[in-house]
Amino acid sequence: MTSFTDLFIKRPVLAIVVSFVILIAGLQAMKTLNVRQYPRSDIAAITVTTVYVGADAELVRGFITTPVERAIAAADGIDYIQSQSTQSLSTITARLKLNYDANKALSDISARVDAIRNNLPPESQIPVIAIQAADSQFASAYLSFTSDILQPNEVTDYLVRLVQPRLTAVGGVQKADILGGRTFAMRIWMKPMIRNAKAVTKRPIPNLRSGVSRKILSMAG
């Protein structure tokens, strides 16, 4: 009874050729195969942030968080949804399934949010939708800005108007956030007697604030 190895003993040339083929295949595999300590897994999340200035947590949850959460719950690729409603802010995080295409989920969720945009309060801002990768807790790069001439709020205004748009437009950059920014603010106290005499309600105040903001931006431009 002959075995498989007898063929290579009787034909040494064939044995040498097979050995060289195995050696070449091994060398080629060393250059092309990826070596990872852990298997690759993409676990991303889609965040939907909506600002509703002046509304408390209950109003934000009833008029913003609940409708948006119901709309995006039917999107494909979602594993589970987390939501948080605070003063003037609604944050919804949709955790995607393992290795699901985050860009496809972003397009689906964006379309569903746009479909109910008219059902949200008109005073609320447009929802901001972004992809949050599993490894994006820390930024890839941090830049520090200081000035001996400008005040902190003026530095923040400079970064918002000039630096941040240019960094966002760079290829491969998902977003550029400003940490520790100091924004301009104005606090106005209204006298109750004059307000009641002139029949001024709280509803025109946001319109007045937006008008003042547009005036300031036009003067700055």
Side-chain angles (χ1 to χ4, degrees):
M1 182 178 180
T2 59
S3 61
F4 176 74
T5 57
D6 293 340
L7 176 63
F8 297 98
I9 295 175
K10 296 179 180 179
R11 298 185 178 183
V13 177
L14 178 62
I16 295 174
V17 172
V18 173
S19 300
F20 273 110
V21 170
I22 296 175
L23 179 61
I24 295 173
L27 294 176
Q28 184 67 22
M30 291 176 58
K31 298 180 180 180
T32 58
L33 292 179
N34 294 326
V35 180
R36 294 179 178 270
Q37 184 178 2
Y38 301 103
R40 181 178 180 179
S41 60
D42 294 331
I43 306 176
I46 307 296
T47 58
V48 182
T49 305
T50 308
V51 177
Y52 189 11
V53 179
D56 56 13
E58 293 296 330
L59 290 177
V60 171
R61 183 179 61 181
F63 289 95
I64 302 294
T65 305
T66 301
V68 175
E69 190 174 5
R70 290 177 180 175
I72 67 177
D76 296 333
I78 295 179
D79 190 8
Y80 61 94
I81 297 177
Q82 295 174 320
S83 62
Q84 183 180 8
S85 301
T86 58
Q87 179 75 24
S88 304
L89 183 64
S90 170
T91 304
I92 301 175
T93 303
R95 303 290 180 180
L96 303 181
K97 296 180 180 179
L98 182 64
N99 294 331
Y100 190 82
D101 189 359
N103 295 323
K104 181 179 179 181
L106 178 64
S107 301
D108 192 3
I109 292 176
S110 299
R112 295 179 183 274
V113 173
D114 292 338
I116 64 165
R117 181 67 184 91
N118 295 330
N119 298 333
L120 302 179
E123 296 82 5
S124 63
Q125 299 181 10
I126 299 176
V128 178
I129 307 175
I131 299 177
Q132 180 182 359
D135 55 350
S136 64
Q137 297 180 356
F138 301 97
S140 300
Y142 291 90
L143 303 178
S144 177
F145 294 88
T146 58
S147 176
D148 297 332
I149 302 175
L150 301 178
Q151 298 295 326
N153 50 6
E154 295 176 341
V155 174
T156 302
D157 180 67
Y158 175 78
L159 296 178
V160 171
R161 291 189 294 109
L162 297 178
V163 179
Q164 189 177 26
R166 294 186 179 182
L167 291 178
T168 307
V170 176
V173 176
Q174 181 179 356
K175 62 178 181 178
D177 294 331
I178 298 178
L179 305 179
R182 303 291 182 87
T183 57
F184 290 94
M186 179 184 297
R187 182 173 296 179
I188 302 175
W189 286 269
M190 301 184 64
K191 295 182 178 180
M193 296 180 60
I194 298 178
R195 185 183 64 186
N196 295 332
K198 295 183 178 296
V200 178
T201 61
K202 294 182 179 180
R203 183 171 295 273
I205 294 178
N207 298 330
L208 176 62
R209 180 183 56 205
S210 61
V212 173
S213 300
R214 289 193 296 268
K215 183 66 175 179
I216 295 175
L217 290 177
S218 63
M219 293 175 62

